Amino acid sequence: MRRSTAVIFVFLVSYICKTLGETCEQNCGTKLDSCSCHPTCGSLGSCCSDYKEYCVNTSPYSGSILGGTDFVVLDANFNKSSDIVCRFDDKTNTDGYVDGDGRGHCISPLLYETGWVSLQISSDNGTTFDRAGSWLSVHTGKLASRFKAILVNSTKWQYYGTPNVGGELQMTWNTTSVNAEKVNIEVWGYEETGEPYSESWQGEWRYLYSLTKDHPNSGSFKFVPKIADGDFSRWELGALRVSSGSYPDGKWNVQAAWSEDHALAWHLEESFRQNSAGWALDKCVAWDKLENELPNFLTEIIDCPCTLAQARADTGRFHTDYGCDIDKGSVCTYHPGSVHCVRAIQASPKYAAGQQCCYDSTGAQVLTADSIGGSTPDRAHDWGSPPFKKPPRIPGQSHWVYDVLSFYYCCLWSDNCYYYFKHRPSSDCRHYQSPSSAMVFGDPHFITFDGVSYSFNGKGEYTLVRSEEKQLTVQGRTEPVKDSEKTINATKLTAVAMREGSSDIIEVRLDSRNDGLELLRNQQTLPFAEQTWMDLQGVFVFSPISTNVTVMFPSGAGVEVRRRGETMTTTVLLPEEFKNSTVGLLGKMNGDAKDDLALSNGQLVQNHSNPEELFSFGASWAVENASALFTYDSENLLNAYYFAARHDPNFMPVFSVPEDPDDPLNTQAAEICTGEGSQFCRYDILVGRSPLIGHATRVSFQSHVSLVDDLKPVISCGWLPPPANGKKQGTRYLQGAKVKFSCDDGYKLSGSEERTCQRNGKWSGEDASCSVPSKVAGIVAGSVVGALTLIVIITAIILHSRKQKRKSSDSDEERSNTSKL
């Protein structure tokens, strides 16, 4: 009955909407009385007749933070007389146009922020803005290469003018990104002015000069750099812009292809080319003086994971640094000797600082005290941080000004890294704490944060994790497993929805149209066809392929969703700060497995082996209507969940695997389901009737075991320095690691020659030191004695000489007296 009522309701709304003529103009995102302008209206068939006209989508939907992307406004109608103005983020206007096919176009502007910004479109030269949509602004380092100009051999560009680096430079671009036969290639500079951490602190891009004008739009440009004229050579950071030759120099917000921001070594002043190391040292010393005057940000940044395995597994708090990625060949320009680096996802709370952690081929953290390629913290987080727009929160550029240019000054253009590492020392991992992990997988099975495993096959929507203290909620939806031959009394996870505080609501669900996952943000589909990373309101989302999604919240909580065949595996990672604050199907995270399975009323499950008791436990965590985070955009979802009880009391699953020796799936179950966790795999094959699901369950279980192993806490004893006038062998500082010490020629080692990192987090032995050996001391003592002896001899000679002189004098006097007589 409810099913038919829902269908009639949807069609009735659609009919009334068309009859009454309600409009989506100025109403996008809302549900009106007779029709809808909400994103779900398309699949529900309830859209107002002008929904696509006023609630617009664009192609492409994303572009560089530096602007210049020409995009089409889809499905909206314009005429040749339309005077289009596009407004971004409620304040920045750019001129649009209508093409020969009657399609409206906008040009994205320079923005000092990343993420989705509001888009409003006027067709009457800005008098009214009646169309609404959104635009995704992307960090240049995360932008797909097809959307930007490429500096061929970028290292050469940024070392140009240093010894043995010169000659011709080349850049390329996609010719379709600039709709012109001739292009100008312009140099733009970036600087930050005003007192740091004050209201006057501002960032600014400025047009400097053109490298060439009316160059054929061939997609390539080569040139031999010259020193920039006049004051332009003082600009050390900037980017190149390729734009139509029809525009005047430096015209803002026109269609263009931008390069990534980079050090403008190739146009710096003559003194740089004559003595780049000396020039850079002067800059390095000036930076050192400035850093001494700025506040210390090191105390508020997160510690690095101890191992590469931990760094890659802690996906709620750390993400791959695109400049040093082991999956892309480990080209680590700024961290030689490292094979992979990660960045802390969240900027520090007060100073918006960042943390970077780098690792060598053995998986050990590389420290700046041992290597120029070590991990370095950042005064300004490379990816910026909300609310963006002002230093040090401007994505990319603030990081360049305070952390990257200074690295060029002190380390790359000169050999004075001491200055840099004094202010950017590596953080070791002695205070790092791994997150705890929990998982939902298969038909569906659960592993709690404290390691309790069980199955719950209810049909409905349930609370997986809730933390009132951290304002985090993660919910899961289960649906019956479908089989064409017969009804199967088992369910599987088909969607998860989550939110932290006032963040956007993120929903991930099995996509019925393909073999991937569908993402929704606030009940609207979130496309990942153009980008893999999105900065959203209070949350980040990463989706490198259609079957993998990672959601990251400011608290450090991470949710990984993986599609494996027809099932969805969800892993939740929570940092130590969530301890004793979680409830739900994934248990209470406190290290005590005995209290994990608690009903929503607090009552504990007495028998973890009793499937009926476990079923009652799971049913108690059905979400309440008012707190549901899911999207209901189909007839089935409306009938089965929105208009129904969130836990279906009429659905009763099969609680245990039937023992049927004649079951044709027995052989496959025996082959697939081996080792630890095989009971879950067997259930999914023999009850779920799917060897594919069983195999996916086995893979998920094994992946979780590996994850737990990667996240195991390790003991760090901290960095050990080499002795003065000596050296050390070994740069690993975890439990069991050994470090050996030796002295330079002419010195003797005191203390321990070898020290081992012990289980208590302390080094064995004593501090090593190098001193002058005893034989040298003997030589010195002998020299002193010899000198004293020599002094005695000389003194004796002098005294003897004086005595002889007196005797001679007395003799002469005696002879004189005799003569007088």
Side-chain angles (χ1 to χ4, degrees), residues 69-73 78-88 92-99 103-109 119-126 129 247 251-255:
T69 302
D70 183 325
F71 60 87
V72 178
V73 182
F78 298 92
N79 55 54
K80 292 184 178 180
S81 62
S82 296
D83 198 346
I84 295 179
V85 176
C86 308
R87 176 171 293 172
F88 297 80
T92 303
N93 291 355
T94 65
D95 294 331
Y97 66 95
V98 179
D99 65 21
R103 302 181 304 173
H105 289 247
C106 292
I107 308 296
S108 67
L119 168 66
Q120 297 167 296
I121 301 172
S122 169
S123 57
D124 56 9
N125 196 31
F129 288 86
Y247 296 131
K251 181 176 173 61
W252 286 89
N253 300 329
V254 298
Q255 184 188 24

Side-chain angles (χ1 to χ4, degrees), residues 196-425:
Y197 304 103
S198 73
E199 287 299 318
S200 66
W201 201 8
Q202 300 290 333
E204 180 186 14
W205 279 98
R206 184 181 303 177
Y207 166 76
L208 302 183
Y209 60 92
S210 293
L211 282 177
T212 185
K213 296 184 178 182
D214 293 328
H215 180 79
N217 186 12
S218 60
S220 178
F221 173 64
K222 298 180 180 180
F223 71 110
V224 176
K226 298 179 181 179
I227 295 170
D229 293 336
D231 189 48
F232 294 136
S233 64
R234 74 173 180 84
W235 292 80
E236 300 164 12
L237 173 63
L240 300 181
R241 189 180 83 167
V242 183
S243 59
S244 171
S246 63
Y247 296 131
D249 293 345
K251 181 176 173 61
W252 286 89
N253 300 329
V254 298
Q255 184 188 24
W258 288 83
S259 73
E260 287 194 40
D261 34 5
H262 62 281
L264 300 177
W266 50 273
H267 91 157
L268 292 178
E269 57 194 332
E270 180 66 28
S271 57
F272 176 78
R273 296 197 178 185
Q274 293 298 322
N275 182 10
S276 58
W279 182 95
L281 175 59
D282 290 342
K283 293 284 187 178
C284 177
V285 171
W287 174 80
D288 172 60
K289 182 178 179 181
L290 173 62
E291 279 290 317
N292 287 331
E293 299 171 354
L294 295 177
N296 178 18
F297 66 88
L298 298 175
T299 56
E300 68 166 7
I301 56 176
I302 187 174
D303 277 341
C304 286
C306 292
T307 66
L308 177 58
Q310 287 178 333
R312 302 193 75 184
D314 191 352
T315 53
R317 294 184 290 182
F318 295 91
H319 187 75
T320 297
D321 179 355
Y322 297 102
C324 184
D325 185 352
I326 195 171
D327 294 327
K328 295 183 179 179
S330 299
V331 181
C332 305
T333 302
Y334 303 120
H335 298 277
S338 298
V339 299
H340 192 76
C341 295
V342 296
R343 290 190 182 276
I345 295 166
Q346 307 294 336
S348 67
K350 183 176 181 181
Y351 296 115
Q355 176 65 287
Q356 183 190 50
C357 312
C358 297
Y359 302 86
D360 64 20
S361 58
T362 70
Q365 187 189 2
V366 183
L367 304 179
T368 53
D370 294 324
S371 168
I372 188 178
S375 314
T376 53
D378 302 315
R379 180 168 292 282
H381 197 299
D382 182 22
W383 304 335
S385 60
F388 304 109
K389 302 178 185 178
K390 291 187 62 175
R393 300 179 181 274
I394 296 175
Q397 283 84 62
S398 290
H399 174 60
W400 262 99
V401 169
Y402 283 90
D403 302 297
V404 184
L405 280 178
S406 48
F407 189 73
Y408 276 90
Y409 299 153
C410 302
C411 298
L412 300 182
W413 292 341
S414 73
D415 188 16
N416 297 282
C417 272
Y418 160 78
Y419 288 103
Y420 189 82
F421 294 146
K422 180 173 71 172
H423 300 289
R424 302 292 186 270

Side-chain angles (χ1 to χ4, degrees), residues 455 457 489 611-616 652-657 683 687:
S455 297
N457 267 265
N489 288 337
E612 286 83 2
E613 193 172 352
L614 289 172
F615 190 73
S616 297
M652 193 59 60
V654 175
F655 289 124
S656 59
V657 178
Y683 181 95
V687 176

Side-chain angles (χ1 to χ4, degrees), residues 116-139:
W116 290 96
V117 298
S118 62
L119 168 66
Q120 297 167 296
I121 301 172
S122 169
S123 57
D124 56 9
N125 196 31
T127 302
T128 58
F129 288 86
D130 50 8
R131 293 177 175 89
S134 56
W135 174 254
L136 181 62
S137 172
V138 183
H139 186 296

Side-chain angles (χ1 to χ4, degrees), residues 576-591:
E576 185 71 11
E577 290 79 6
F578 278 83
K579 189 173 182 179
N580 290 314
S581 74
T582 67
V583 295
L585 294 181
L586 294 179
K588 185 176 183 179
M589 190 185 102
N590 61 358

Side-chain angles (χ1 to χ4, degrees), residues 491-505:
T491 58
K492 64 180 182 180
L493 188 70
T494 59
V496 289
M498 62 209 81
R499 185 179 201 174
E500 184 175 277
S502 59
S503 76
D504 287 337
I505 297 173

